[in-house]
Amino acid sequence: MMARPENPRLARCFDDSLSRGYEIRYADETQVIAYRKNTWGCFGLMFLFVIGVLTAFIVPIILLILGAFAPGGQVITYRLKRNGKVSKKRRAA
């Protein structure tokens, strides 16, 4: 477990990331790096089911196979700027 930053804005980002279930990869007094794994969710599965009914289950099977084996996720970096504000940057993992 990483140490919680002392800066109140970064500490809030740290706490929000933990409460959302993200994995904290790195944390110090200038930045917090969190990792979020991609999930299909309820609406994603409903979308696949609707497409499956419309296309005789060919397209959703392909999408499910591609999505199931894709090791995807997002890395979210919260950085403390010089003016005291926090910048948020997202990139694919």
Side-chain angles (χ1 to χ4, degrees):
M1 178 94 177
M2 298 288 169
R4 187 174 184 262
E6 293 292 323
N7 185 291
R9 291 182 182 187
L10 278 179
R12 187 173 348 143
C13 294
F14 183 89
D15 293 338
D16 288 345
S17 297
L18 282 180
S19 67
R20 291 181 182 145
Y22 299 169
E23 174 189 343
I24 303 295
R25 294 245 171 128
Y26 180 77
D28 65 6
E29 295 305 318
T30 59
Q31 67 181 355
V32 173
I33 299 176
Y35 174 75
R36 182 183 80 134
K37 185 145 178 78
N38 289 338
T39 57
W40 281 93
C42 187
F43 288 113
L45 294 177
M46 286 185 352
F47 177 72
L48 285 178
F49 181 75
V50 169
I51 287 180
V53 169
L54 296 176
T55 63
F57 292 104
I58 296 169
V59 173
I61 290 173
I62 294 170
L63 290 175
L64 195 61
I65 290 171
L66 291 175
F69 297 116
Q74 286 185 345
V75 175
I76 305 166
T77 304
Y78 300 97
R79 282 209 172 109
L80 189 62
K81 293 182 180 179
R82 291 182 184 176
N83 60 3
K85 294 183 179 179
V86 174
S87 70
K88 180 179 178 180
K89 182 179 178 183
R90 291 183 184 205
R91 67 176 178 84

